[in-house]
Amino acid sequence: MKSRNVRRAEGLGTASLADLLKQAGQEEFISFAGDMPADDCLPRERIMAAQIAEPAREAEDVGSSVPGSSHGQLSILERLCAFMAVRGIAADPSNTLLTTGMQQTVQLIARSLLEPGDTVLVENPTQPAVLRAFLARGLQVVPVPGDREGLLIPEAERLMQQHRPKLIYVMPSLGDPDSRLWSEDRRVALLSLSRRMGVTIWEDNRYGELLFPHDSDSAPASLYELNAGRERDGVLYTGSFSALLGPSFPAGWIISSRGTAAQLAAAQQSLEHKDSGESTAYRTFRTLERVLDECDLVEQVRIVRMSYFEKMQRTKALLRGHNLNGVSWKEPKGGMFLWVELPEGLDAEALLRSAAAKQVTFETGASFYAKDPQNNHVRLTYSNMPEEQLKSGIDRFAEAVREFLARSSP
């Protein structure tokens, strides 16, 4: 019999109507779900050249004694660490581990640092795939409330004292789903609290590079950077290439202390051997290495930030043009999403069913909560929308909201 946590994990998936309807062949279907980057800002020519050239390089391999250095990883690690240095992150190949994607990142952290029954704290709302992975691992997940500045530190302290967690999972820079950007004061306060309570922080920065141009120069330092001088113990810093280079490059990374990096690398070798993942890792990293040979990551960040800023502004303008009573949002400072609040009492799951009939979908808010979900929220992903689809999708969404409100009116 499946455990309560596993059953709950399986029921916490985000809205999947997009996949179901696409599989049914409905080509006019428009999805605001997922977190795909925009095709128009990807280095497509370099990606295609790398994919074509890769078969000729499969007989080659690169190795060294640092964790995670096979399959061309050492070259990637060196480029990544140079990129991190520009961001103020002190990383080197000895304390940085490449993963095949965020799924492996979660698996490694959950299996290496946590045991079934352990308690982890999470933001509320938070990233649903990580939440599902925690529950499937048999962890006790305790949500911590927050506001636009970040976690509410007194509540975090109370919950740490009550539950004695081993880990707290946070996204301080453009978190999912609301793209909030924590203040530096909240970051410093969480670091101080976690040190005092002996709780490891997992800082997920997968969307952190997507700050809009006018906010990027004033971004607060990462928790990992603020933790400098302590041999990096106590903070795991993770990220992903997919937000910048697209779904063909899901590879991620974990930056930590050297001791933790070695522990994670040992778990990765065991996991890849068990799951026969060597060939997948080989292709993932060698093709990525080829792309990075030609792609300037700093320039790619600039291109993506500008593209997403323009699409966010367009999405807001389209929504405002429909004058939907009771529909609101907090303006994000970056990222791929708009976290939209619907009128009180309007259930997003019911709205999704109405919207699907108009061939449009989105992520419903309840799936982002470990507890006490806000059912009147939806997440709209604008990052990968061409102009024509964006306008048509917002038109359909607005029509569904108006019809739903009309039916709900007394």
Side-chain angles (χ1 to χ4, degrees), residues 169-206:
Y169 168 75
V170 294
M171 299 181 78
S173 296
L174 307 180
D176 195 4
D178 55 3
S179 298
R180 80 177 70 177
L181 184 66
W182 289 25
S183 69
E184 186 162 327
D185 286 348
R186 294 288 177 90
R187 296 171 189 238
V188 171
L190 178 62
L191 270 175
S192 176
L193 173 63
S194 296
R195 290 169 187 157
R196 180 158 48 88
M197 299 296 293
V199 177
T200 298
I201 299 172
W202 174 6
E203 179 180 16
D204 185 347
N205 197 57
R206 71 179 75 183

Side-chain angles (χ1 to χ4, degrees), residues 3 5-7 9 106-118 120 129-141 166 274:
S3 72
N5 274 337
V6 170
R7 292 197 305 271
V106 179
Q107 287 179 321
L108 292 176
I109 292 173
R111 295 185 184 188
S112 298
L113 306 180
L114 302 165
E115 296 292 338
D118 286 344
V120 296
V130 174
L131 183 58
R132 291 195 299 271
F134 283 161
L135 294 170
R137 175 65 171 157
L139 304 176
Q140 302 300 313
V141 179
K166 284 189 176 179
K274 178 180 179 181

